[in-house]
Amino acid sequence: QVQLVESGGGLAQSGGSLRLSCDASGFTFSNNAMWWARQAPGKGYEWVSGIDSDSTETKYADFAKGRFTISRDNARNTLYLQMNNLKPEDTALYYCAKGCKTVGRSVVCDYWGQGTQVTVSS
């Protein structure tokens, strides 16, 4: 079965950096576009970034442009999200996901990981 396991979250200060990882299994990772999404307290899911199967194309939400970088290693079945210049409003549970469709800022996905918490202090 599909398994997506995120790691790398934690507490960061405003302006700091974190690198999230997602280990994927149970499907052919190299054939699938992958996504990062997040859910802040009291808010719905919003997409953060997506990457196609061979890293040819990437997509970023406006708030992530210039600060976040999505990447993947198909040999390791791993997805990454490098987050720089973090802001308190980036505080959220961050999810790795596949089979996603974006509608405006929101996102619906077929499979989600369990999430990793990112907390940014001011």
Side-chain angles (χ1 to χ4, degrees):
Q1 69 277 21
V2 173
Q3 285 195 318
L4 301 169
V5 180
E6 302 93 338
S7 61
L11 179 64
Q13 290 189 335
S14 183
S17 298
L18 287 172
R19 189 193 195 202
L20 307 184
S21 298
C22 171
D23 293 322
S25 61
F27 65 102
T28 305
F29 181 76
S30 59
N31 287 350
N32 283 266
M34 297 295 297
W35 294 81
W36 287 100
R38 71 184 188 182
Q39 186 179 31
K43 296 187 177 181
Y45 294 99
E46 63 177 350
W47 68 275
V48 176
S49 183
I51 186 169
D52 67 355
S53 60
D54 61 359
S55 303
T56 303
E57 294 187 12
T58 57
K59 183 176 180 179
Y60 295 93
D62 286 344
F63 64 81
K65 290 178 181 176
R67 299 191 299 128
F68 295 0
T69 303
I70 191 171
S71 62
R72 63 191 297 161
D73 185 339
N74 285 346
R76 296 177 181 269
N77 289 351
T78 304
L79 178 72
Y80 302 100
L81 185 68
Q82 177 67 44
M83 303 187 295
N84 298 328
N85 191 20
L86 285 162
K87 304 176 181 181
E89 52 264 42
D90 294 320
T91 294
L93 195 58
Y94 283 73
Y95 296 92
C96 169
K98 70 179 287 288
C100 297
K101 293 183 180 180
T102 62
V103 181
R105 295 179 60 178
S106 63
V107 62
V108 177
C109 303
D110 293 333
Y111 296 95
W112 299 79
Q114 84 288 349
T116 185
Q117 179 67 40
V118 171
T119 302
V120 184
S121 62
S122 58

